[in-house]
Amino acid sequence: MATAQEKTTPCCPPQTNKNKTATIPSPQPPSLATFIPAVDSSPDPPPKTASTKGITVMMRAQTCHPLDPLSAAEISVAVATVRAAGATPEVRDSMRFIEVDLVEPEKKVVALADAYFFPPFQPSLIPRTKGGPVIPTKLPPRKARLVVYNKRSNETSVWIVELTEVHAATRGGHHRGKVISSTVVPDVQPPMDAVEYAECEAVVKDFPPFREAMKKRGIEDMDLVMVDPWCAGYHSEADAPCRRLAKPLIFCRTESDCPMENGYARPVEGIHVLVDMQNMVVLEFEDRKLIPLPPADPLRNYTSGETRGGVDRSDVKPLQIIQPEGPSFRVNGHFIEWQKWNFRIGFTPREGLVIYSVAYIDGSRGRRPVAHRLSFVEMVVPYGDPNDPHYRKNAFDAGEDGLGKNAHSLKKGCDCLGYIKYFDAHFTNFYGGVETIENCVCLHEEDHGILWKHQDWRTGLAEVRRSRRLTVSFICTVANYEYGFFWHFYQDGKIEAEVKLTGILSLGALPPGETRKYGTTIAPGLYAPVHQHLFVARMDMAVDCKPGEAFNQVVEVNVKVEEPGDNNVHNNAFYAEEKLLKSELEAMRDCDPLSARHWIVRNTRTVNRTGHLTGYKLVPGSNCLPLAGSEAKFLRRAAFLKHNLWVTPYARDELHPGGEFPNQNPRVGEGLATWVKQNRPLEEADVVLWYVFGVTHIPRLEDWPVMPVERIGFMLMPHGFFNCSPAIDVPPNPSDLDDKENGVPTKPVQNGLIAKL
C-alpha cells in the first residue's frame, strides 16, 4: 500500500468510466531506485516537517518500515522469485497467485525499528541493559508470503521469499529474491479469484443445457444473464477439497442496454449447477423445477432519478466540509499522528485495513501502548431459508474471497468528505501481475457532536467542547453486498470499530401465489430471505506493554443486584462484580446486556493515581450469535461463531479464526476453537481478543432496491488508564465564537437563554 496525494473530495462528483485498478501486466525487472536503501546504524536527527496542501508530512529517515505493506515492486520480485523456482516450464505456467502478503516481523524487530530507525525515534521501547543497547547496523530483510495455486495439479503451496536489498538492487537482470521455504498444504482449497469468477460465468453461459433451461424461461440473450459463482462450502464428502468447486447463483437482467440495471432483482431458481473451477467445466447440471422469472419490478433500479424513471429530491442544499488550515493529523509514510494518538496503517489482501502499534502520548508518562495490531479477520453470512439454493448460502467473505482484494477506489463518489489523505493498495492478480487500487484507504477527521458539556445553573455559565474523531476506513464489495470497515479514534481515548452494511439484498423467486416464512416478500414473485452478518475482530492488545512484554490479563465485569438484607434495606443496591479469566476455556464468553457485561484488559504491573491497575475495556454494541442449529453444516467451519468473546495468548501463526483455508474445509472446528483446547494460562500474558459481533437481518420493504446503511460495532474505552479525563484539555471550537441562529449572530446571557444581538 502506498500513500496517495491528499485532496478535498466533493460530494458525488460526476462518474467516469476510468477503471479502478492500474495493472502491471506481468512481473518485470524493477529499477534500482525501486528498492529499499541500506539502513544507517545511527539514528538521524529529529525529522523536519513539510506541508503539502495543508497536510503536515514528516520527512522520513528511512524509506520502508518493517510493517509497511509490500510495494508493487516487492510483489513483482516475490512473484518472479517463486515462478523462477518452478521445477519445469509446465509447473511455472500453471502457477496462479492467490495472495502475496508481508511476513510481519517479530514484535522485537518492530520495537527496534521504532526505537532507532524511524521517527519519532523511541529508544524507550528497547529494554535497558548494562552497557546500553546493542544497535544493529540494519534491520532484518523483509519477507513476502505467497499462496500459490497450481492449476494443473490442484495443489496449494505456501512460499516464503526474502526480499533482500542485495537481490533487489543487483543490476544485470538478477531481480529475484531468495526462497526461504516452500510447503505444499494438503487437503485445502485457497480463496477464489475474480478471474476464476469471470471464467466460470462464461463457461456456464456457454453450456448448451443451461442455455436451453434459460430458453424455457423466456431468455435467449445470454448478455442478460448474471452468473455469481459461490464457493461450495462443505456439506458432505462430495464437497471435499480434492476438487475446486463452485455452485453458482443465477440472475437475469431485463434491459441489455442498461449496465447499471439491478440484475439481482430477477433471480433464476430451479437450476442446479456445479462447476469444476480447476478445469473450468460444468460437472453437474439439473433443471429441477421451472419457477417463472419474477416480473420486472419498476422499483428495481437504484441510479439517479432520470435514469430510473423517477425524480430525485430537489431541496437538498450543499453541505461543505472545510478545513482552511488543513487537517490536524500528520502523516509520515504509513505512520499517523493525531491528537496524542499515533499508529501505523497496513493493508492485506484478506483482511483489508490493519492498524498497528496503537499508542497514546500521555504528558509526562510519555508514549503508552494500547494495542499492537487491530483488524477484521473474518466474516460469515449464513442464510436462514432451508430451501435450495439458499440453505448453502453461508459465505466466508474474508477466507473465501478476501476483503482487501475486493476493496474499492474511494476517489469518486460520497465515500469520504472533507480534507482527506488517501492510501493506495497493491495486490497480485491471478497470473502474478500487480494491481493497484488507487485511494483504497481514506484517512480524515470528522466532527462528532458534543464531546462534553456542563452548565452551572446558578450562574448560567457553560463550558462545551465539540468532539472530533479521526477515521480510517475502506469499503469492499462482495457480490451483492457492500461493507465499510472503519476505525475511529477519539480525543477522550476511545477507539471505535464500526462496520457499515449496504448494497443489494440477495433474493429468491417465488412461484405464483406462494409466500415464504423464511423471508420478506418485497415485490410480486420476489422475496428476501432472512440472514445474518457475523464479523470477527482480532485485537492483539498491549495495554501499557512494550513490545515483547506479556503483562496483560482480562477481567469480566457483570453488574449484580444486591440481595435484600442489611446491605440493601432500600432494595436499590447494585454493584459491578469482576472475575479474572484465568485460562482460554474460561475466556469463552458471550454478551449479556442485562448485566451490562464487558471485559477489561489490564496491565498487571502499572497502576493509576488511585492505585488500581490501568486498563482498556471492550464494550459491546448490539450483537447476536448464530441462529442456526448446533448441527448446521456451516458451523463445522465456523465454530468460532459460537461465542462472542475468545481470548488467547499471542502466537504468530494464529491469525485466522476458521483456519487459513476455510474454502471447502472438511475439518471440524479448525482454527480458534481448536487452539483454545490447549487451555493456555491468561493470568499474565500477551493477550489477543477475538470479538464476534453481528446483526440479524430481517429484510424490510425499505431495504429495496438498495439497503440503507446499517451500523454495528463495538468500543475500546480507557478504564483507569488515565488519571482523569484526557478530553479536559480539548480547546473550544473556534467556530463556537461566531455561532448563528437563523443567520443572526447570537450570544449567551447569564440566565442561560439566548438573546439575539
Side-chain angles (χ1 to χ4, degrees), residues 139-208:
L139 296 170
R142 282 157 62 88
K143 297 177 183 177
R145 186 177 190 273
L146 299 87
V147 176
V148 180
Y149 174 68
N150 188 303
K151 194 168 177 65
R152 180 182 296 269
S153 65
N154 194 36
E155 289 182 336
T156 299
S157 56
V158 174
W159 299 68
I160 304 298
V161 173
E162 184 178 280
L163 302 168
T164 62
E165 294 174 65
V166 173
H167 288 106
T170 300
R171 297 181 181 273
H174 184 49
H175 59 277
R176 295 189 296 274
K178 177 183 178 183
V179 174
I180 302 300
S181 66
S182 171
T183 306
V184 174
V185 185
D187 204 27
V188 300
Q189 284 294 337
M192 293 291 186
D193 188 86
V195 170
E196 293 179 286
Y197 287 156
E199 292 178 357
C200 178
E201 180 175 57
V203 166
V204 172
K205 289 166 68 170
D206 198 44
F207 189 60

Side-chain angles (χ1 to χ4, degrees), residues 704-748:
W704 184 252
V706 66
M707 191 180 79
V709 164
E710 186 164 2
R711 296 170 172 85
I712 57 173
F714 60 92
M715 194 78 74
L716 292 171
M717 301 176 64
H719 188 93
F721 189 79
F722 301 104
N723 285 328
C724 69
S725 170
I728 194 66
D729 60 354
V730 174
N733 189 342
S735 62
D736 293 345
L737 307 179
D738 188 27
D739 287 342
K740 294 182 179 180
E741 181 181 2
N742 297 327
V744 180
T746 63
K747 68 176 182 180

